[in-house]
């Protein structure tokens, strides 16, 4: 399976609390809900297309706990049946049970277990949110594709997907589009280590 990451971001790189003011108030964050004003039918159709390509979901503990609380209450197609029915893998060293079935807990050497999952036949193992897990899997060279959905807003504070010290990674832009309400959707393939050069140097 191909490992893909879907992440909602502000223009200044914050991923925290896109869906509501009280979604994630960690570290005193008070500016949640910044993604909601830009939702539109075009993006919902795109997100449904992405989810339709998933054969399993991969989540960090924080994201899993929030999703397991909210998604079982949402049954409307296309998102409800897919999110609730797909096999789910949660990376956690603290969870001992997970009731949002079907769920498997990954602990110990999570990158090695994710590598094993990728070797299974299938289409996509999709990583949604779960930025800390994403950072570790990016450093391990396991993420194949990033789908970054950037809202036209600066919030000035909050946790960032690519903080200082992120693992250097080369990317190739394979698709880009905008939605009527201004979301910029960039899809990148990872290409290994970045390339560097000197401007104006002879070829």
């Amino acid at each position: 399976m191909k490992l893909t990451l879907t992440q909602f971001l502000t223009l200044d790189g914050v991923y925290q609390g896109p869906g509501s003011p009280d979604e994630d108030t960690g570290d005193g964050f008070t500016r949640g809900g910044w993604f909601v004003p830009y939702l539109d039918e075009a993006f919902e159709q795109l997100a449904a297309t992405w989810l339709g390509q998933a054969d399993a979901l991969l989540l960090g503990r924080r994201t899993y706990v929030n999703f397991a609380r909210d998604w079982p209450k949402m049954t409307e197609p296309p998102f409800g049946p897919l999110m609730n029915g797909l096999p789910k893998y949660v990376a956690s060293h603290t969870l001992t049970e997970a009731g949002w079935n079907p769920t498997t807990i990954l602990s110990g050497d999570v990158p090695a277990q994710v590598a094993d999952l990728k070797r299974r036949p299938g289409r996509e193992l999709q990583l949604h949110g779960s930025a800390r897990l994403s950072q570790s899997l990016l450093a391990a060279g396991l993420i194949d594709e990033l789908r970054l959905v950037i809202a036209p807003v600066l919030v000035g504070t909050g946790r960032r997907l690519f903080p200082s010290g992120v693992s250097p990674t080369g990317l190739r832009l394979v698709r880009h589009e905008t939605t009527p309400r201004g979301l910029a959707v960039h899809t990148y393939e990872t290409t290994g280590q970045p390339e560097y050069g000197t401007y104006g140097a002879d070829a």
Side-chain angles (χ1 to χ4, degrees), residues 85-170:
L86 282 168
K88 290 165 276 285
Y89 298 90
V90 54
S92 175
H93 299 297
T94 57
L95 285 179
T96 57
E97 58 182 41
W100 186 26
N101 293 317
T103 293
T104 301
I105 298 174
L106 307 179
S107 59
D109 190 342
V110 171
Q113 293 176 76
V114 171
D116 287 340
L117 290 174
K118 288 185 60 179
R119 284 190 282 269
R120 297 183 182 181
R123 296 171 299 168
E124 293 186 4
L125 173 63
Q126 291 190 355
L127 181 57
H128 290 264
S130 309
R132 292 174 181 171
L133 176 60
S134 301
Q135 291 159 5
S136 68
L137 297 179
L138 190 65
L142 292 172
I143 295 179
D144 300 299
E145 185 172 286
L146 292 81
R147 295 164 179 162
L148 305 181
V149 186
I150 303 168
V153 60
L154 305 171
V155 295
T157 186
R159 293 191 294 269
R160 286 167 168 77
L161 178 62
F162 303 120
S164 178
V166 69
S167 179
T169 305

